[in-house]
Amino acid sequence: MRKPIIAGNWKMNKTAAEAKALIEELKPLVAKSKPEVVVCVPYTDLWAVKEAIEGSKIHLGAENVAWADSGAFTGEISADMLKEIGVEYVIIGHSERRQYFGETDESVNARLKQALKKELKPIVCVGETLTEREKNRTKRVLKKQVLEGFKDIAAEDFANIVIAYEPVWAIGTGKTATAEDANKTIGYIRSLVRKTWGAEVAKALRIQYGGSMKPANAKELMAERNIDGGLIGGAALKANDFAAIVNYKNA
Ligand code: PGA
């Protein structure tokens, strides 16, 4: 019922020329893919990637968006700037933004509202750190991130929202949550959404897993009932690996 969505998060990697080359390599490999395929790329790559994906099934995403329409916000990029290029998706609240750039649930909420207002599809990231996990605070942390991050968001807006559950300790570390564990935690996130926004919304909402997802573990993760896709960092930088995740059913 929920169409799986596999999104690459390139982070601060690939110049525009390198981006173009990666997309050219990727295109034939995902031409027959069943899941929705998205690449979220650095701002400076957006035009080149937009041109390169023309005529393919790959969707374009950015890695952040400003909460304001325009104005004195040095270094920020607005939703209109992204829309003009043809950007469809935008990652919001990635743990690296929270960790290194001071993003909070409040700023996530503001960016999310702006993305929805401008008809960009947000991929909102939530997840606990290792310390929080070890102190048994995972549920408490996720509850806060969901309730505050999605504060005042209307039920109907969830049709355009994707959540990415990314345990911070699994990002770029090679450590993955077990499929069972990830499924359980994502089930908890779904139950939070159900309580506030209703059963229909929770049932239709796509929730991805992210954190060292790779060809070797994609099939197992994707087999879980609650996992509707992946947000892929490191493995999205290699066409073969990313395509193998997208085509996990053939593995
Ligand atoms: P990773 O990153 O796949 O390299 O662990 C995932 C992410 O940060 O979105």
Side-chain angles (χ1 to χ4, degrees), residues 23-251:
I23 295 293
E24 293 305 339
E25 207 184 331
L26 183 65
K27 270 198 294 191
L29 303 176
V30 298
K32 293 200 178 87
S33 64
K34 293 270 188 300
E36 190 172 348
V37 184
V38 184
V39 288
C40 298
V41 305
Y43 294 132
T44 47
D45 294 353
L46 286 169
W47 272 116
V49 171
K50 171 67 188 168
E51 278 173 21
I53 60 175
E54 197 72 45
S56 79
K57 288 162 106 185
I58 304 172
H59 299 252
L60 185 61
E63 298 178 15
N64 203 356
V65 63
W67 55 73
D69 285 348
S70 63
F73 299 99
T74 303
E76 285 287 304
I77 296 290
S78 77
D80 286 340
M81 295 169 184
L82 299 178
K83 292 286 289 188
E84 191 176 276
I85 300 172
V87 171
E88 186 181 344
Y89 283 92
V90 62
I91 298 173
I92 296 176
H94 189 276
S95 67
E96 286 146 21
R97 299 291 321 169
R98 296 176 190 257
Q99 188 180 349
Y100 304 124
F101 302 98
E103 294 273 359
T104 60
D105 293 326
E106 203 182 359
S107 65
V108 166
N109 184 251
R111 292 183 197 275
L112 171 61
K113 284 176 179 160
Q114 180 70 356
L116 291 167
K117 181 176 111 182
K118 297 288 183 175
E119 296 180 329
L120 287 164
K121 297 176 187 164
I123 299 175
V124 181
C125 303
V126 296
E128 81 286 2
T129 63
L130 184 59
T131 320
E132 288 161 347
R133 185 180 182 84
E134 283 170 351
K135 290 186 173 159
N136 264 325
R137 291 199 187 136
T138 301
K139 283 190 174 174
R140 201 189 312 171
V141 168
L142 290 172
K143 188 170 181 181
K144 183 176 176 294
Q145 288 176 343
V146 170
L147 295 185
E148 293 182 14
F150 290 88
K151 191 165 181 269
D152 300 326
I153 299 301
E156 58 264 29
D157 280 332
F158 277 86
N160 295 313
I161 292 173
V162 175
I163 295 183
Y165 166 59
E166 300 204 302
V168 179
W169 49 270
I171 295 177
T173 56
K175 286 184 202 154
T176 333
T178 63
E180 201 189 334
D181 232 27
N183 185 58
K184 230 194 256 169
T185 311
I186 291 178
Y188 173 68
I189 295 170
R190 207 177 287 289
S191 76
L192 290 172
V193 172
R194 187 181 307 120
K195 272 183 214 144
T196 308
W197 291 277
E200 289 302 307
V201 169
K203 214 165 123 188
L205 175 66
R206 293 187 292 179
I207 308 182
Q208 300 172 312
Y209 168 78
S212 298
M213 197 158 161
K214 46 187 180 258
N217 59 26
K219 194 175 187 177
E220 197 191 347
L221 285 159
M222 293 300 294
E224 295 290 342
R225 194 165 54 93
N226 274 312
I227 304 180
D228 305 315
L231 186 56
I232 322 297
L237 299 173
K238 293 190 193 121
N240 280 321
D241 284 357
F242 188 62
I245 297 172
V246 169
N247 300 318
Y248 65 91
K249 282 227 154 118
N250 311 334

